[in-house]
Amino acid sequence: MPAANSQPRRARSGNRRDEAARLAVLHAADDLLVERGFGNLTVEAIARRAGVAKQTIYRWWPSKVEILLDTLIEDTEKRLPMLTERTTAESIRGYLLGFARFLTGDPAGKILLALIAEAQHDPGTAESLHKRYLGPRRDQERDMLVRAIDAGEVSPRLDPDATIDALVGPIVYRALTGSSIPSGLVDTLVADLLLPR
Amino acid sequence: MPAANSQPRRARSGNRRDEAARLAVLHAADDLLVERGFGNLTVEAIARRAGVAKQTIYRWWPSKVEILLDTLIEDTEKRLPMLTERTTAESIRGYLLGFARFLTGDPAGKILLALIAEAQHDPGTAESLHKRYLGPRRDQERDMLVRAIDAGEVSPRLDPDATIDALVGPIVYRALTGSSIPSGLVDTLVADLLLPR
Amino acid sequence: MPAANSQPRRARSGNRRDEAARLAVLHAADDLLVERGFGNLTVEAIARRAGVAKQTIYRWWPSKVEILLDTLIEDTEKRLPMLTERTTAESIRGYLLGFARFLTGDPAGKILLALIAEAQHDPGTAESLHKRYLGPRRDQERDMLVRAIDAGEVSPRLDPDATIDALVGPIVYRALTGSSIPSGLVDTLVADLLLPR
Amino acid sequence: MPAANSQPRRARSGNRRDEAARLAVLHAADDLLVERGFGNLTVEAIARRAGVAKQTIYRWWPSKVEILLDTLIEDTEKRLPMLTERTTAESIRGYLLGFARFLTGDPAGKILLALIAEAQHDPGTAESLHKRYLGPRRDQERDMLVRAIDAGEVSPRLDPDATIDALVGPIVYRALTGSSIPSGLVDTLVADLLLPR
DNA sequence: AGTTAAACGAGACGGTACGTCACGTCTTGAA
DNA sequence: TTCAAGACGTGACGTACCGTCTCGTTTAACT
């Protein structure tokens, strides 16, 4: 067994999309958002930090928002799993606590907040955010809730979507206003809104 | 022969601050936000629209965010009055419905949403927004709620601030995500979170 | 007899240089120069127009200037023949008129003007242009003139190279400045500069 | 008490055009053209070298060609004076020698050659060059020649414009091809083309 | 009544980032 | 080995706004 790969360096892409460049961009955007904030997040800075040409970014992403969405989607899948099994009030409480931790403690949570914010400034962002993130996620959450209702585990007074907004809204709002999210808040929301009176 | 003002023009101020210019800036900012969105709201565009020199803006406002805050504060006082008299579950319900209408229907509501958004991108905005708007307003809301609790009109399970977030959060969240706010949502929030089980 | 060459297409070369590709590049460059001007002549446009990969161009030509030189040389040989027989004042006059027509009327004349121009901007172009075109051509012209002098047909007051510049310079200069070249100009140049006083 | 003005610094423009910036741009363009050649002359490099913002250049000049034209016109007036008095064959000879020296020895001469070149690549340049430089200059030269003809000092066989092209063309052509311009060439052109046979 | 000082419109200035274009180099996979 | 295809790092393009800075004018308040 001789030598083998003396200088690995970078694989240099050639004809195909360069996966290393893709990841470098996603990580650079994530890092810069956390370090410098969205207001200082520029495409040029991402390119600089990622060691990538600006054109490489524009070739694959129509805007920095889509970069963040890509990161957000990948990270959410890894770090904020949906409930797939039997759903109870208790497991929903666990999901909401996980979501609160995600929003306030995880870098990806900052991305979500930044995108919700940017969606207020730019209709294109709003559309992408709904189509690629909020919509699909909401579909899974609604499913989760409906399964619990059908099983008789919970009995909300509102339709499923309004119920989810009533549960998630306070968590998001406190995150947006920089407040912490005490577990007692989540407990009471679940108790008051989901359980029979 | 008196003749009198051939060209009235504008009553050029001279030594004192020009109130007409101040109002022109506030209205220009408001109009542009509604027409073009925050993303297209620039100081240069405000100056252009207001017929004012850029320097006149920078002389009186440190940033466009403060312009919007000025407008927001004035408009909120006019169009979203606080409860000053006896507070009941019913009057809180009315206040929340008014707040929902303000957020989704009033141009000033768009300003508040834009500022909450911008606060995610820029710490200075966050500080100003809390100090000049969210903080004072929250003080009044807390007062309002405490008066109702003391009078035995409502009995929330959470401390006052968390209670208000639980009531207001879903409304803000639906406004941020572009959903309408059905009155049934407000009714149920009040019933489930404020009234005794 | 079945099938047989279903798609003749292009006789894709495989191992050897593809002559069709070479010609496609030369013609594309020529056409684009005439249609769009040198300022809009890019390697990418040539490749696009020729239906050829960019790398195929870079494999065979160090720069777009060399492409144009190849075209220019081929076209000059075809369309601007040198005098090979006996040379007289009259035949030199004919050569100069042909040169004037070439410069102002022939697409290849535009190439020569473009290359003389580009040589002012880039030393590499200047070197190539002299080595591959102007130098050899000047050698033939000098020969032509010297033969006429030796035969007593003409008697210029200047050395051969300066004489040729004095004859050719006005023609090139008028072409460069977009003027036409009246035959009277050529006649007078020959009469005043070549014939005895 | 003499002294005064402790820190002159830069006058900082304010409302009016900044003359220092204008001159810095003209000189930077001139210097860069001579040092690096037209091919390496970019607006960004001019701005960098002049210590000026790119926008300041675009505010006043539509292209780098116009910058060079400004420099060329100013320098030509200073360093290549027209004949204003009585014109003779001898004074025309002097003018042509001065022109030859200007073209080959003066930095501004390089600018003229570069602009003649660029005019081949871009029609806008051609138009500007003619309107702002070649045209007016030619008017003066024609005047000069006609005065000499009317005074009986010279008797060209061609119309004035063609005569000037016949005199100037060889000089420009040799400059374009990088040759020197021996004074004998000018002498012979004047003798053969302007003096009676 | 004459002087002073602030506010105003206008807009030039040095900057940063935008999104696009073409450069010349590289790699893949088919012929 | 050549070719079509096309991704890549590089760097300039011309534009939009940023926030700062005079300039010359206007006018209220203070000598």
Short mmCIF file of all heavy atoms in Angstrom, two decimals, chain C residues 3-28:
data_model
loop_
_atom_site.label_atom_id
_atom_site.label_comp_id
_atom_site.label_asym_id
_atom_site.label_seq_id
_atom_site.Cartn_x
_atom_site.Cartn_y
_atom_site.Cartn_z
N ALA C 3 -31.22 0.96 -41.76
CA ALA C 3 -30.75 2.17 -41.05
C ALA C 3 -29.79 3.03 -41.86
O ALA C 3 -30.19 3.82 -42.71
CB ALA C 3 -30.06 1.79 -39.73
N ALA C 4 -28.55 2.83 -41.59
CA ALA C 4 -27.48 3.68 -42.16
C ALA C 4 -27.59 5.10 -41.63
O ALA C 4 -28.68 5.65 -41.47
CB ALA C 4 -27.55 3.69 -43.69
N ASN C 5 -26.47 5.66 -41.42
CA ASN C 5 -26.34 7.01 -40.82
C ASN C 5 -27.67 7.70 -40.49
O ASN C 5 -28.17 8.49 -41.26
CB ASN C 5 -25.51 7.91 -41.72
CG ASN C 5 -26.07 7.93 -43.16
OD1 ASN C 5 -27.09 7.27 -43.43
ND2 ASN C 5 -25.42 8.67 -44.01
N SER C 6 -28.21 7.35 -39.33
CA SER C 6 -29.48 7.99 -38.94
C SER C 6 -29.26 9.49 -38.69
O SER C 6 -29.92 10.33 -39.28
CB SER C 6 -30.04 7.32 -37.68
OG SER C 6 -28.99 6.78 -36.89
N GLN C 7 -28.32 9.83 -37.82
CA GLN C 7 -27.99 11.25 -37.65
C GLN C 7 -26.59 11.54 -38.17
O GLN C 7 -25.61 11.25 -37.50
CB GLN C 7 -28.01 11.67 -36.18
CG GLN C 7 -29.34 11.44 -35.49
CD GLN C 7 -29.21 10.33 -34.47
OE1 GLN C 7 -28.88 9.19 -34.83
NE2 GLN C 7 -29.46 10.65 -33.21
N PRO C 8 -26.51 12.13 -39.34
CA PRO C 8 -25.18 12.44 -39.86
C PRO C 8 -24.52 13.51 -38.98
O PRO C 8 -23.37 13.41 -38.62
CB PRO C 8 -25.46 13.01 -41.25
CG PRO C 8 -26.95 13.03 -41.43
CD PRO C 8 -27.58 12.65 -40.14
N ARG C 9 -25.29 14.52 -38.66
CA ARG C 9 -24.78 15.54 -37.75
C ARG C 9 -23.46 16.14 -38.19
O ARG C 9 -23.32 16.64 -39.28
CB ARG C 9 -24.58 14.94 -36.33
CG ARG C 9 -25.78 15.04 -35.44
CD ARG C 9 -26.24 16.43 -35.38
NE ARG C 9 -26.94 16.80 -34.18
CZ ARG C 9 -27.26 18.06 -33.94
NH1 ARG C 9 -26.91 18.99 -34.80
NH2 ARG C 9 -27.92 18.39 -32.87
N ARG C 10 -22.52 16.08 -37.35
CA ARG C 10 -21.15 16.51 -37.63
C ARG C 10 -20.29 15.27 -37.49
O ARG C 10 -20.56 14.39 -36.67
CB ARG C 10 -20.73 17.55 -36.60
CG ARG C 10 -19.26 17.91 -36.62
CD ARG C 10 -19.00 19.21 -37.35
NE ARG C 10 -19.42 20.37 -36.56
CZ ARG C 10 -18.72 20.87 -35.54
NH1 ARG C 10 -17.58 20.36 -35.21
NH2 ARG C 10 -19.17 21.91 -34.86
N ALA C 11 -19.24 15.16 -38.25
CA ALA C 11 -18.44 13.95 -38.30
C ALA C 11 -17.51 13.83 -37.10
O ALA C 11 -16.36 13.46 -37.24
CB ALA C 11 -17.65 13.89 -39.59
N ARG C 12 -18.01 14.15 -35.91
CA ARG C 12 -17.20 14.19 -34.69
C ARG C 12 -15.85 13.53 -34.80
O ARG C 12 -15.71 12.37 -35.14
CB ARG C 12 -17.99 13.61 -33.52
CG ARG C 12 -19.04 14.58 -32.99
CD ARG C 12 -18.38 15.86 -32.51
NE ARG C 12 -17.45 15.56 -31.45
CZ ARG C 12 -17.83 15.30 -30.20
NH1 ARG C 12 -19.10 15.37 -29.89
NH2 ARG C 12 -16.95 15.02 -29.28
N SER C 13 -14.86 14.23 -34.49
CA SER C 13 -13.50 13.91 -34.88
C SER C 13 -12.88 12.75 -34.12
O SER C 13 -12.23 11.91 -34.69
CB SER C 13 -12.63 15.14 -34.67
OG SER C 13 -12.77 15.54 -33.31
N GLY C 14 -13.05 12.79 -32.77
CA GLY C 14 -12.33 11.78 -32.01
C GLY C 14 -10.92 12.22 -31.77
O GLY C 14 -10.67 13.17 -31.03
N ASN C 15 -10.04 11.64 -32.44
CA ASN C 15 -8.62 11.77 -32.14
C ASN C 15 -7.95 13.00 -32.75
O ASN C 15 -7.09 13.61 -32.14
CB ASN C 15 -7.91 10.52 -32.65
CG ASN C 15 -6.67 10.24 -31.82
OD1 ASN C 15 -6.31 11.06 -30.98
ND2 ASN C 15 -6.06 9.11 -32.04
N ARG C 16 -8.34 13.33 -33.96
CA ARG C 16 -7.65 14.39 -34.70
C ARG C 16 -8.32 15.75 -34.52
O ARG C 16 -9.49 15.82 -34.15
CB ARG C 16 -7.66 14.04 -36.20
CG ARG C 16 -6.78 12.87 -36.57
CD ARG C 16 -5.36 13.31 -36.88
NE ARG C 16 -4.51 12.18 -37.26
CZ ARG C 16 -3.90 11.39 -36.37
NH1 ARG C 16 -4.06 11.61 -35.08
NH2 ARG C 16 -3.15 10.39 -36.79
N ARG C 17 -7.61 16.81 -34.86
CA ARG C 17 -8.22 18.14 -34.80
C ARG C 17 -9.40 18.21 -35.74
O ARG C 17 -9.32 17.77 -36.88
CB ARG C 17 -7.21 19.22 -35.16
CG ARG C 17 -7.86 20.59 -35.23
CD ARG C 17 -6.90 21.72 -35.21
NE ARG C 17 -7.58 22.99 -35.09
CZ ARG C 17 -6.97 24.16 -35.09
NH1 ARG C 17 -5.65 24.21 -35.20
NH2 ARG C 17 -7.65 25.28 -34.97
N ASP C 18 -10.47 18.82 -35.27
CA ASP C 18 -11.70 18.89 -36.02
C ASP C 18 -11.67 20.11 -36.95
O ASP C 18 -11.84 21.25 -36.51
CB ASP C 18 -12.87 18.99 -35.04
CG ASP C 18 -14.21 18.94 -35.75
OD1 ASP C 18 -14.23 19.16 -36.98
OD2 ASP C 18 -15.21 18.67 -35.08
N GLU C 19 -11.47 19.86 -38.25
CA GLU C 19 -11.37 20.95 -39.21
C GLU C 19 -12.67 21.76 -39.27
O GLU C 19 -12.64 22.99 -39.41
CB GLU C 19 -11.04 20.39 -40.61
CG GLU C 19 -11.00 21.42 -41.72
CD GLU C 19 -9.83 22.41 -41.59
OE1 GLU C 19 -8.99 22.22 -40.68
OE2 GLU C 19 -9.76 23.38 -42.38
N ALA C 20 -13.79 21.09 -39.13
CA ALA C 20 -15.07 21.81 -39.16
C ALA C 20 -15.15 22.80 -38.01
O ALA C 20 -15.61 23.94 -38.18
CB ALA C 20 -16.23 20.82 -39.08
N ALA C 21 -14.67 22.38 -36.85
CA ALA C 21 -14.69 23.29 -35.70
C ALA C 21 -13.79 24.48 -35.96
O ALA C 21 -14.14 25.62 -35.65
CB ALA C 21 -14.24 22.55 -34.44
N ARG C 22 -12.62 24.24 -36.54
CA ARG C 22 -11.68 25.31 -36.83
C ARG C 22 -12.33 26.36 -37.74
O ARG C 22 -12.29 27.56 -37.46
CB ARG C 22 -10.42 24.75 -37.51
CG ARG C 22 -9.32 25.80 -37.67
CD ARG C 22 -8.13 25.27 -38.47
NE ARG C 22 -7.68 26.28 -39.42
CZ ARG C 22 -8.03 26.31 -40.69
NH1 ARG C 22 -8.82 25.36 -41.19
NH2 ARG C 22 -7.62 27.30 -41.45
N LEU C 23 -12.95 25.90 -38.81
CA LEU C 23 -13.58 26.84 -39.74
C LEU C 23 -14.75 27.56 -39.08
O LEU C 23 -14.96 28.76 -39.28
CB LEU C 23 -14.05 26.09 -40.99
CG LEU C 23 -12.90 25.60 -41.88
CD1 LEU C 23 -13.44 24.77 -43.04
CD2 LEU C 23 -12.09 26.80 -42.41
N ALA C 24 -15.52 26.82 -38.29
CA ALA C 24 -16.68 27.43 -37.63
C ALA C 24 -16.22 28.57 -36.74
O ALA C 24 -16.85 29.64 -36.68
CB ALA C 24 -17.44 26.39 -36.81
N VAL C 25 -15.12 28.38 -36.05
CA VAL C 25 -14.60 29.43 -35.17
C VAL C 25 -14.16 30.64 -36.00
O VAL C 25 -14.51 31.78 -35.69
CB VAL C 25 -13.42 28.90 -34.33
CG1 VAL C 25 -12.71 30.06 -33.64
CG2 VAL C 25 -13.93 27.90 -33.30
N LEU C 26 -13.41 30.41 -37.06
CA LEU C 26 -12.92 31.52 -37.88
C LEU C 26 -14.10 32.32 -38.45
O LEU C 26 -14.11 33.56 -38.40
CB LEU C 26 -12.04 31.00 -39.02
CG LEU C 26 -10.71 30.37 -38.60
CD1 LEU C 26 -9.89 29.99 -39.82
CD2 LEU C 26 -9.92 31.29 -37.69
N HIS C 27 -15.09 31.61 -38.96
CA HIS C 27 -16.21 32.33 -39.55
C HIS C 27 -17.04 33.05 -38.49
O HIS C 27 -17.51 34.17 -38.70
CB HIS C 27 -17.09 31.36 -40.34
CG HIS C 27 -16.42 30.88 -41.59
ND1 HIS C 27 -16.60 29.62 -42.11
CD2 HIS C 27 -15.51 31.48 -42.41
CE1 HIS C 27 -15.86 29.46 -43.21
NE2 HIS C 27 -15.19 30.59 -43.40
N ALA C 28 -17.21 32.40 -37.36
CA ALA C 28 -17.99 33.04 -36.29
C ALA C 28 -17.31 34.33 -35.86
O ALA C 28 -17.96 35.36 -35.68
CB ALA C 28 -18.13 32.08 -35.10
#
